[in-house]
């Protein structure tokens, strides 16, 4: 099955447009009018290439342009100031094949950012941004070849699970490096090389969790022991004071002798 036809070809079949020179000219004029009639976001440039190509490179944009043409097949947004990709940012772009978001300031991507375009997208460029992690759900069903190079990735279990599901661009795969890591020794190394060496970041995650639980249990146990020791010592002190008090009281024999003495005198 070939690529979908442009809107002007649907209106003017090729057999009709090639019939005569005047008709062919009419087709070209009609195609130009269709392209010109396509709403194009402000500060962007739109052109026809089996669909609409929206070019918004280096326009100081801080968000995804609204009201993108529904026939957009390529959206070029590189070298802007975009910092966040919200949920369903491209939901109406059913024909979108190429999405370039490189050289922005992207720090976060919502879990539903690519809903509606994930299955049709063929190329996604997120290189040269500020991404440290991404939710696994954001790339669900994504079939595109992805560039993730030159981001300050934090290598841990969730990133490993994300990369396992993706088709990374082979030309830039070695540029996806650990900026930081759950284990400092892997910082600065390509993620793929670390994973290929047999390292499993999820094991570190489980070990860290186990250690945290052990420390917590040890602290609770130590608190219980300390309380028991305090309780015993406190009771011992009370018992000692009570015994000293009892010893300070006059004995019964002394009381009897004093009573006999008093009776004799009387």
């Amino acid at each position: 099955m070939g690529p979908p036809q442009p809107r002007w070809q649907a209106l003017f079949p090729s057999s009709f447009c090639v019939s005569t020179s005047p008709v062919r000219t009419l087709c070209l004029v009609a195609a130009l009018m269709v392209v010109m009639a396509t709403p194009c976001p402000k500060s962007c440039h739109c052109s026809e290439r089996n669909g609409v190509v929206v070019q918004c490179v280096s326009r100081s944009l801080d968000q995804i342009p609204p009201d993108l043409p529904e026939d957009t097949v390529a959206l070029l947004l590189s070298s802007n100031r975009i910092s966040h990709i919200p949920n369903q940012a491209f939901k109406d772009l059913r024909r979108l094949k190429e999405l370039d978001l490189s050289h922005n300031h992207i720090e976060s991507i919502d879990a539903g950012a690519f809903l509606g375009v994930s299955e049709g997208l063929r190329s996604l460029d997120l290189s040269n941004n500020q991404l440290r992690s991404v939710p696994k759900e954001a790339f669900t069903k994504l079939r595109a070849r992805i560039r993730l190079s030159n981001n300050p990735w934090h290598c841990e279990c969730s990133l490993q699970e994300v990369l396992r599901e993706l088709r990374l661009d082979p030309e830039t795969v070695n540029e996806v490096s650990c900026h930081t890591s759950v284990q400092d020794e892997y910082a600065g190394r390509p993620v793929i090389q670390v994973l290929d060496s047999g390292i499993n970041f999820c094991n570190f995650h489980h070990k860290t969790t186990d250690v945290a639980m052990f420390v917590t249990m040890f602290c609770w146990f130590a608190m219980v022991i300390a309380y028991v020791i305090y309780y015993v010592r406190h009771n011992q002190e009370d018992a000692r004071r009570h015994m000293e008090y009892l010893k300070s009281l006059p004995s019964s024999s002394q009381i009897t002798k004093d009573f006999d003495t008093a009776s004799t005198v009387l």
Side-chain angles (χ1 to χ4, degrees), residues 124-161:
L124 173 60
D125 195 343
L126 289 166
S127 61
N128 295 280
N129 279 287
Q130 299 299 317
L131 290 168
R132 286 178 50 82
S133 63
V134 288
K136 181 179 179 180
E137 298 77 10
F139 297 137
T140 300
K141 298 182 180 180
L142 198 64
R143 301 175 182 175
R145 179 170 290 182
I146 303 176
R147 293 192 174 202
L148 297 174
S149 55
N150 299 315
N151 280 280
W153 295 108
H154 177 63
C155 290
E156 37 79 39
C157 184
S158 62
L159 179 62
Q160 176 180 318
E161 292 180 342

Side-chain angles (χ1 to χ4, degrees), residues 79-85 101-109 125-135 147-154 159 175-177 179-180:
S79 301
N80 282 291
R81 301 174 182 173
I82 300 170
S83 61
H84 174 66
I85 309 299
L101 292 162
S102 62
H103 294 89
N104 274 278
H105 301 160
I106 300 173
E107 297 179 345
S108 60
I109 298 176
D125 195 343
L126 289 166
S127 61
N128 295 280
N129 279 287
Q130 299 299 317
L131 290 168
R132 286 178 50 82
S133 63
V134 288
R147 293 192 174 202
L148 297 174
S149 55
N150 299 315
N151 280 280
W153 295 108
H154 177 63
L159 179 62
E175 297 173 9
V176 182
S177 299
H179 183 72
T180 56

Side-chain angles (χ1 to χ4, degrees), residues 206-217:
H206 295 320
K207 289 179 181 178
T208 302
T209 303
D210 292 342
V211 170
M213 290 180 63
F214 175 78
V215 171
T216 302
M217 292 177 64

Side-chain angles (χ1 to χ4, degrees), residues 162-199:
V162 167
L163 295 180
R164 185 181 298 157
E165 306 294 330
L166 301 183
R167 293 179 55 214
L168 293 179
D169 177 50
E171 296 181 0
T172 61
V173 67
N174 288 324
E175 297 173 9
V176 182
S177 299
C178 301
H179 183 72
T180 56
S181 173
V182 289
Q183 292 288 312
D184 292 339
E185 60 190 286
Y186 302 118
R189 295 179 57 185
V191 182
I192 298 302
Q193 289 184 12
V194 173
L195 297 179
D196 286 347
S197 68
I199 300 301

Side-chain angles (χ1 to χ4, degrees), residues 228-252:
V228 170
I229 293 173
Y230 169 79
Y231 180 80
V232 170
R233 289 183 175 178
H234 184 73
N235 283 351
Q236 286 179 340
E237 182 67 19
D238 286 347
R240 185 185 63 80
R241 291 176 180 176
H242 185 66
M243 290 298 296
E244 290 179 352
Y245 171 74
L246 291 177
K247 289 179 179 179
S248 67
L249 293 176
S251 64
S252 58

